[in-house]
Every structure is written in structure tokens, then in C-alpha cells.
Amino acid sequence: MSEKLTTERHPDLMELEAARTGEATVAVRDHVKACPRCQEIIAELDMLAVDARVNRPAVMGTPSRADEAVFSVIEQRSQEIRWRYPKRRRFLTRPVWAAAAAIAVAVLTWSVLSPHRAMLPTIVKSVSYAGDVDRDGAVDIVDAYLMALRLESGIKTPENWDLNKDGAVDKQDIAVVTLAAVAVVEEA
Amino acid sequence: MKRIIFVLSLIAGTIPVSDVQARTAQESIVRFQAIDLYVDSGEHRLVAYQVEMRFDKSRVEVVGVEGGEVEVFKDAPHYDPRGLAGGRLILAAFTTDHKNAPQGRTRVARSHLRIEGEGQPDLGIRLITAAEPGGQRIKAKVDLEPANSDTMTKEEKGGE
């Protein structure tokens, strides 16, 4: 990554994912340490990983807002291409342009929109905050330990710790956090 | 002429066969090794640890994970089974039994590896986090060591 990270330029989603899995560059790591916004996004990525583990298909698909954004830009771009090219040439180049535009727009839209919290379902966000018990920006084994400690103490636990939504905060919820902590993210 | 054809056919047939034989021999060298994971928490009591183990997935597969030497970490640590053959495995465990939480260098887990090919494979280990009672993060050292035969069970030694 050659561009210097500043408060204006946040890491993109791939860089934040790398930071989440401990594989980011020093520049990204330093930025994340000092940036609450990026820490929040990383916490949400953590919980996406949890969701993948506990099979919640509701959050696995492309959000409808992203779909709409991608299709609207494709449509706009297609109109521009239709206007710019004569009919015969357009006939030959349109499929190539459409495919290229679709890929470019999809990548661009994903990288621009996905870091924003609005893209992620509220439920994932609330679970991520709950799972990150000590609020250090990551869900790890210490969060599971702190949950277990609180459960053993008998002190009332926060309702949002019911991560598997079974109506009770118990060992199953600690297991969800533990799974998130040890989940192996596929590497490219 | 017949002799020349015979010699040529022998050469043509021999080269690939010897190549395949060499490759097969290399792949057939398979051994199993137990590796111990140590966490050194110094003067702090260790109640939770999370480490990342890296290995060459083309040569190494983790075929088993078990707990360590102290009672509180006797059970196998948590891990994602996808990592066993994936070259990257995260191991983590915690205990709320503060009184029996270990101090100093402690064997907290043992991994059993299936190794293909000759020579010792590269194994990497990195501490992700460790904590003392109450959940305060602590600095700890982690290292891997081939399992000492004194601490292995008969089954682990191969039923000797």
C-alpha cells in the first residue's frame, strides 16, 4: 500500500480484514489502533465471521442496497456507452463494455460502500458489540473468559450477550464467542 | 537397427519411470510428530491464551490437538477444524479457576503433526493474546518444542 493513511483516507475493506486477522501492514495496524471508526468496522467483520460459523444465511447475501447501487451505476454507464458509440460498433463492443463496467462498478461499489456501517444489518452490529466484551476492538478468547467469569458470578448478564438468540445467556453464547475467536479466515 | 530401437525404447521408458519413482519416494516419506505449545506468562497467572500456529500445508497436517500438562488446560484447546490442513490454526483456551492458573513457562497444548517429505518443516507460532485473572492482557512468550518422550503416553509413542 503506497498511499499514506490519514484521518481522511481510511483503509479499505480488504486492509481492515487483514488487520482483523493480524496480517495487515504496520501502517494499517497503526491507523486502526488510533481510529475508532475502523475499530468498529473490524468488530463487525469479526461478527460476520461468527455469523458464517453459526450459519445465519440472512447476513450472507449481498445487501439489497448494494445490489441497487451496482445496478443503477451499470444502467447509467450503459446509457453513456449507447450514446457514445454508433450502432454498428456498439453492437460489437457492448457486451465487453457491459461486463467490464459491471466488474469495475461492483468492485468499486463494494470497496467504497462496504466499510460503512449502514451496509451491515443492525443485528450483526449489536452482536459484535456484545461479543467484544472488553471493547478492545476484537472478539477473542479473553472476551469468552470474561463472559464465563460473569456467568459464574451469578451477576445479571446483559441481554445482548444472548448471541445465539435462544432466550438465555449461557455456555452456548460463550461458545459462539470462542468460535469467533478461533475462526480461520480463508486466505487468498 | 532392431538393437537401436530396443535401446531407444528402453531409454524412453526409463526416464519417466525413474522420475515418478523419485517423486513417489519423496511423497511416501510420511512421519508423525508431536509438538508441544508452551506459554510463558512470567510472574502472572495465565487464565487465557490465544495463539496462531502456521505451517506449510503442502507438507504438514495437524491430525490431533490435545491439552497441556496443567489441570486447568488439560482439555484440548478450542480451534477451527478448517485450519488443521489449512496451514494456519488458531488455538485458544481459558479457565476461570484462578487458584490453579499456572505461572511461568507451561505446556498448554500438544499438536500431532503428519509430516510429508524429508527434513524438518517450518512451524511458526505467534501469541495473539493472553490474560491474567480479571482479564487484563499480559505479555507472554510462546514457543513450540518437539514433545518430550517422558511426557508422552504409550499410544503417542506408538504403543511401545
Side-chain angles (χ1 to χ4, degrees), chain B residues 71-102:
Chain B
E71 194 60 37
V72 293
F73 292 122
K74 207 83 177 171
D75 291 337
H78 301 277
Y79 61 93
D80 184 341
R82 286 179 301 179
L84 294 174
R88 179 169 167 252
L89 189 66
I90 296 173
L91 302 172
F94 70 83
T95 176
T96 53
D97 181 358
H98 295 167
K99 280 183 188 170
N100 294 312

Side-chain angles (χ1 to χ4, degrees), chain A residues 129-151:
Chain A
Y129 292 139
D132 183 12
V133 175
D134 62 0
R135 296 288 190 272
D136 71 335
V139 175
D140 59 30
I141 196 69
V142 178
D143 297 307
Y145 160 77
L146 290 170
M147 285 178 80
L149 207 58
R150 180 80 172 259
L151 271 176

Side-chain angles (χ1 to χ4, degrees), chain B residues 122-133:
Chain B
D122 286 335
L123 299 172
I125 190 75
R126 176 177 77 87
L127 179 76
I128 296 175
T129 193
E132 64 178 354

Side-chain angles (χ1 to χ4, degrees), chain A residues 9-73:
Chain A
R9 216 293 266 177
H10 293 280
D12 64 26
L13 190 66
M14 297 303 289
E15 290 166 332
L16 289 176
E17 175 60 14
R20 188 182 79 82
T21 56
E23 294 156 312
T25 60
V26 176
V28 171
R29 284 204 303 270
D30 288 347
H31 176 95
V32 169
K33 262 186 205 164
C35 177
R37 182 187 155 202
C38 290
Q39 287 169 12
E40 280 181 18
I41 295 166
I42 286 174
E44 284 158 3
L45 287 172
D46 267 325
M47 287 323 293
L48 279 175
V50 175
D51 268 35
R53 294 284 300 158
V54 296
N55 293 324
R56 279 223 215 108
V59 298
M60 295 305 290
T62 309
S64 59
R65 192 174 151 189
D67 267 346
E68 286 165 18
V70 169
F71 284 123
S72 75
V73 179

